[in-house]
Amino acid sequence: MDHKAPSLVLITGMSGAGRRTTAAALEEMGWYVADNLPPELIMRMVELTFADDSPVERLAIVTDVRSRAFAGNLTGVLDSLTSSGRRPVMLFLDADDRELITRYDTVRRSHPLQGEGTLQEGIDREREMLADIRARADIIVDTTNSSVHDLRRTLETEFSELHGSGVRINLQSFGFKHGAPKDVDVLLDARFLPNPYWVSELRNFRGVDKPVADYVLGQAGSQEFVDSALHLLLAMLPGYHREGKNFVSVAVGCTGGHHRSVAVVEELARRLMAEGAPVRVVHRDLNNDRKS
């Protein structure tokens, strides 16, 4: 039997955002995890893993910030891996500053870049150092409001499908009143469509229900909106594939995230799948309050 080329994932991100939990979850999913590996050793680890006699088929490397040379070294490693045809899927774990401070206070630890300064100063230094790395990430997971179990479920969804071909589209509906998602490539606004919330017989239904879907998709401009989004994404996918990007994240918002954005995402997902595109759908705010 031919040797199967391993999958390669590189995990980094903000200290305190969940790298250790991510490493443990991937290990349970059957990945070989190299934790706390400095950038200068990553290439050697990949070479050993890709050797013909290696038993490892899926490698996840966790690396973190230890010095100001980190970001430059890691950028160089990414460039070298890409040039060699072994570009990894890049996962960046993040959380907002307030949540990171709470987590550090809970475990009574200092930030690795804090030095003699404050915890906030350490976080600020790390964000500055990792800005370019974050911009290159294929997947950004914001763990601010995630429990350990939520993070594990997200990872199971993301990485159970890595062996699929082509660029996978993550479609997400959301409500602007709950905040726009941070980790998206394309953001679309469906608030120009009439709101089913103000139709009494539709108020308690949601965008996944046929009465609301028919109402939203029957409004003037709705089909043109979906058509335009479909054509935009289909035009982008070949370019993403050429650039080695494995995922594209698309979010559609309305006021509360229950009616218009949900109906549009469901229709867009249906039409993308009809074109053969692999799609994952998440309705982020479906179970929050009803006004949407």
Side-chain angles (χ1 to χ4, degrees):
M1 184 173 71
D2 291 336
H3 181 75
K4 184 179 180 180
S7 296
L8 178 61
V9 176
L10 185 59
I11 302 161
T12 191
M14 294 297 293
S15 300
R19 288 193 310 269
R20 297 293 175 266
T21 300
T22 298
L26 290 179
E27 199 163 41
E28 290 177 4
M29 292 164 59
W31 290 73
Y32 183 87
V33 177
D35 197 3
N36 199 23
L37 201 65
E40 54 268 24
L41 295 182
I42 290 176
M43 284 299 296
R44 180 56 179 157
M45 184 71 191
V46 172
E47 289 170 0
L48 291 172
T49 302
F50 274 81
D52 289 338
D53 59 350
S54 172
V56 178
E57 293 187 346
R58 297 191 294 175
L59 173 65
I61 297 174
V62 184
T63 187
D64 63 7
V65 54
R66 296 291 178 184
S67 71
R68 287 195 172 273
F70 167 88
N73 291 346
L74 186 56
T75 298
V77 168
L78 288 171
D79 290 340
S80 297
L81 287 170
T82 300
S83 298
S84 69
R86 297 171 181 169
R87 183 186 183 279
V89 172
M90 182 79 168
L91 169 64
F92 190 97
L93 294 159
D94 205 350
D96 67 32
D97 289 4
R98 182 176 298 180
E99 177 63 21
L100 292 175
I101 289 172
T102 298
R103 292 176 187 178
Y104 271 102
D105 285 343
T106 299
V107 297
R108 298 183 179 181
R109 289 172 48 202
S110 60
H111 189 280
L113 295 180
Q114 183 174 340
E116 298 299 320
T118 66
L119 181 54
Q120 183 65 64
E121 288 171 338
I123 292 172
D124 291 343
R125 291 190 191 102
E126 187 174 33
R127 284 207 185 280
E128 181 183 358
M129 289 171 56
L130 293 178
D132 290 342
I133 300 299
R134 189 183 192 279
R136 296 183 64 164
D138 297 291
I139 308 169
I140 299 173
V141 176
D142 188 336
T143 67
T144 300
N145 298 311
S146 298
S147 67
V148 170
H149 299 296
D150 291 334
L151 178 55
R152 286 176 181 270
R153 281 193 293 269
T154 298
L155 294 169
E156 287 170 0
T157 300
E158 296 287 359
F159 291 105
S160 63
E161 301 177 14
L162 269 181
H163 289 289
S165 59
V167 179
R168 184 156 62 85
I169 302 171
N170 293 332
L171 277 179
Q172 177 181 183
S173 69
F174 73 95
F176 279 99
K177 67 183 292 183
H178 304 295
K182 301 176 183 178
D183 50 347
V184 296
D185 300 300
V186 178
L187 192 149
L188 303 172
D189 188 347
R191 289 177 294 183
F192 72 95
L193 295 169
N195 193 346
Y197 179 85
W198 301 114
V199 180
S200 58
E201 59 267 30
L202 297 178
R203 181 170 298 174
N204 292 323
F205 288 100
R206 301 182 184 183
V208 292
D209 298 316
K210 190 175 187 300
V212 170
D214 288 347
Y215 176 87
V216 171
L217 298 174
Q219 298 300 315
S222 64
Q223 290 299 323
E224 291 84 352
F225 181 58
V226 175
D227 287 344
S228 297
L230 177 68
H231 294 152
L232 171 68
L233 293 173
L234 292 177
M236 292 168 64
L237 293 182
Y240 274 126
H241 182 69
R242 286 193 299 271
E243 293 300 315
K245 189 172 176 66
N246 297 285
F247 304 87
V248 58
S249 181
V250 181
V252 181
C254 58
T255 303
H258 285 113
H259 297 111
R260 292 166 290 180
S261 62
V262 174
V264 169
V265 162
E266 288 288 324
E267 177 65 9
L268 187 55
R270 183 187 68 80
R271 294 177 62 177
L272 282 165
M273 287 188 284
E275 296 286 340
V279 177
R280 173 194 174 216
V281 172
V282 174
H283 297 304
R284 191 192 73 178
D285 297 323
L286 195 61
N287 294 316
N288 288 329
D289 62 77
R290 291 297 183 93
K291 185 176 179 180
S292 61

